[in-house]
Amino acid sequence: MSTDSLPRCNQLTSMTDSMRLRELADALGVPVAAFEVSKEFQPLNADADGNHWLLMLDIQGKPVIHRIGEDAGQNTMEERVSVFLRREEESPARDALTALIDQLLVAHLTD
């Protein structure tokens, strides 16, 4: 094996990764550039009362749902994703989270 083939192999890997990233971006309906920016949270829903539901990682690196009420200082809540999914029956925030989970699972299982 010659060292001349190494750059081409790296280029192919890079091209394959780039194509997969583009496919994932297309499936999620976001630009590829969205993956280049580190996200601290993923917005799930905002209602007419000013409440916002965000998917984020807690200090231990575990995914949690963070709700910020219209009076952010007093109405903030954080709970594990599994607890949120069991507790919330029908809500736009739950629907957004389950859609995101579905997309991630499809992307993972079709790879």
Side-chain angles (χ1 to χ4, degrees):
M1 177 169 143
S2 74
T3 57
D4 294 338
S5 66
L6 290 177
R8 282 189 225 130
C9 181
N10 287 342
Q11 288 173 342
L12 288 175
T13 302
S14 177
M15 287 174 53
T16 302
D17 290 346
S18 178
M19 289 173 31
R20 286 183 180 164
L21 189 59
R22 183 174 310 283
E23 290 172 1
L24 182 58
D26 290 344
L28 294 173
V30 299
V32 174
F35 295 108
E36 297 169 0
V37 179
S38 174
K39 289 195 172 190
E40 294 181 18
F41 61 88
Q42 170 70 40
L44 294 174
N45 187 49
D47 65 19
D49 294 331
N51 296 304
H52 296 269
W53 286 264
L54 312 170
L55 175 62
M56 56 194 326
L57 297 177
D58 66 8
I59 11 179
Q60 299 165 346
K62 296 183 180 182
V64 294
I65 302 298
H66 190 80
R67 185 181 68 81
I68 302 171
E70 66 177 306
D71 53 344
Q74 297 176 343
N75 227 358
T76 301
M77 172 189 88
E78 189 172 283
E79 63 186 337
R80 290 188 349 222
V81 170
S82 59
V83 173
F84 176 81
L85 287 172
R86 282 193 301 262
R87 184 182 56 75
E88 287 288 320
E89 290 180 16
E90 293 292 325
S91 74
R94 185 182 198 279
D95 294 344
L97 180 60
T98 54
L100 180 61
I101 291 169
D102 285 347
Q103 291 171 347
L104 291 171
L105 288 172
V106 166
H108 176 72
L109 294 171
T110 57
D111 184 22

